[in-house]
Each structure stands twice: as structure tokens, then as C-alpha cells.
């Protein structure tokens, strides 16, 4: 029978494998010898009343009762603010050739974009107007604009 030849490279690889296995076994034994033990108790971490991690259990006298019903999960719903939908303002700028401009609200001094399609009447700069606000692509737009 022909016997498989062991080459120098195969012998070296086998030696490295054995050496690695022995080192791994030594490390395992060293870890077991240095283990502090204690099991689960050494692995537990507590959170104190200030939110810091600690290895000592919390003091029961500092325990605070929390009303479960008062806990809100998620973002609270925004309350709708009631305001008059019809606002008053003045036309700060209006370009007739391009058909757009800006109206300055008299209440909150904000400027709102207005397009000629949102106007019920023809407007020019300086006119006092009534308008409503509507959400547009780039913010609030003045619509249903008419002169006062």
C-alpha cells in the first residue's frame, strides 16, 4: 500500500495548529483561575435616582410612586390653536408681470406669499387687504385675497 507522504509544509502547519490549540487551552485555564465568581450578583447593575449606574441596590425609602396613566408614550398631539381664518394685511410687494407678491400681516407682522391665482380682485402695492392662509409647497400662502 502506498503511504501518503508528509511534506515539510504539512508538518509545520500541524505543529502550528497544535501550538495554537495548547495556547487556547492555557488561556481558558487562566480565565477560570482568575474568575471572581459570584455569578449573577456580580453582573447586575442598578440605576440610582439620578440616573447613574451603580452596583448597589437602590434605597427603598427614596422610591417614588408614578401614576401609570400620566405616562405618555410618543409625541403628544399638538393642540389646534383657534384663530380667525380671515386676516388683515397690506400688500408689501406685488409684481404684475410675474403675478406674485407678498402681503404683510397686521397682527403678527409676518410676510406671506401671494399669487395672482389666489386673488379675488386686482391688487397693487400699498393696498389694505383681507386674506386667508393656506399651506403651500414652501410654507403658508395668502389665498382668497380681496381689498378692504
Amino acid at each position: 500500500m502506498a503511504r501518503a507522504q508528509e511534506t515539510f509544509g504539512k508538518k509545520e502547519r500541524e505543529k502550528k495548529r497544535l501550538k495554537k490549540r495548547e495556547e487556547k487551552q492555557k488561556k481558558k485555564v487562566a480565565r477560570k483561575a482568575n474568575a471572581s465568581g459570584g455569578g449573577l450578583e456580580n453582573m447586575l447593575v442598578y440605576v440610582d435616582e439620578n440616573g447613574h449606574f451603580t452596583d448597589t441596590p437602590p434605597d427603598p425609602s427614596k422610591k417614588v410612586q408614578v401614576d401609570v396613566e400620566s405616562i405618555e408614550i410618543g409625541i403628544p398631539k399638538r393642540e389646534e390653536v383657534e384663530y380667525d381664518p380671515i386676516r388683515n394685511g397690506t400688500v408689501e410687494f406685488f409684481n404684475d408681470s410675474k403675478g406674485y407678491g407678498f402681503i404683510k400681516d397686521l397682527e403678527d407682522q409676518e410676510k406671506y406669499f401671494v399669487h395672482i391665482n389666489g386673488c379675488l380682485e386686482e391688487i397693487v402695492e400699498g393696498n389694505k387687504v383681507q386674506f386667508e392662509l393656506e399651506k403651500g409647497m414652501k410654507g403658508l400662502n395668502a389665498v382668497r385675497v380681496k381689498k378692504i
Side-chain angles (χ1 to χ4, degrees):
M1 266 180 129
R3 186 169 169 206
Q5 285 186 335
E6 284 192 39
T7 63
F8 179 76
K10 284 183 183 179
K11 287 180 184 177
E12 288 299 309
R13 281 194 298 265
E14 187 63 30
K15 283 181 185 176
K16 283 182 182 178
R17 236 183 269 125
L18 287 172
K19 188 175 181 184
K20 209 174 200 181
R21 194 176 297 150
E22 287 173 10
E23 286 176 8
K24 195 172 182 181
Q25 190 65 27
K26 286 179 186 176
K27 287 180 184 177
K28 184 178 176 183
V29 170
R31 269 197 314 269
K32 282 188 178 183
N34 293 333
S36 60
L40 182 64
E41 288 299 317
N42 284 347
M43 290 189 271
L44 289 179
V45 176
Y46 301 97
V47 180
D48 66 4
E49 65 273 1
N50 300 320
H52 299 107
F53 295 122
T54 179
D55 56 352
T56 58
D59 185 11
S61 66
K62 294 182 179 178
K63 190 172 185 177
V64 177
Q65 287 289 354
V66 177
D67 181 26
V68 177
E69 298 298 321
S70 68
I71 298 173
E72 288 186 34
I73 298 176
I75 302 171
K77 296 205 181 331
R78 186 172 13 167
E79 295 177 17
E80 289 293 322
V81 178
E82 288 293 322
Y83 66 91
D84 187 19
I86 298 173
R87 297 170 160 249
N88 295 322
T90 57
V91 179
E92 289 283 307
F93 168 79
F94 195 79
N95 186 333
D96 288 323
S97 63
K98 296 196 178 182
Y100 75 91
F102 295 94
I103 296 176
K104 187 172 189 177
D105 193 347
L106 295 177
E107 292 173 26
D108 59 9
Q109 301 299 311
E110 286 284 321
K111 289 184 181 178
Y112 298 106
F113 176 81
V114 62
H115 192 268
I116 192 76
N117 294 342
C119 296
L120 301 174
E121 303 173 5
E122 231 177 84
I123 59 172
V124 293
E125 287 182 28
N127 282 0
K128 296 231 183 272
V129 292
Q130 276 189 337
F131 63 96
E132 295 179 31
L133 291 177
E134 209 172 72
K135 182 82 173 143
M137 287 175 56
K138 294 184 178 179
L140 293 172
N141 294 344
V143 292
R144 293 179 280 288
V145 180
K146 60 183 179 182
K147 289 189 238 177
I148 302 178

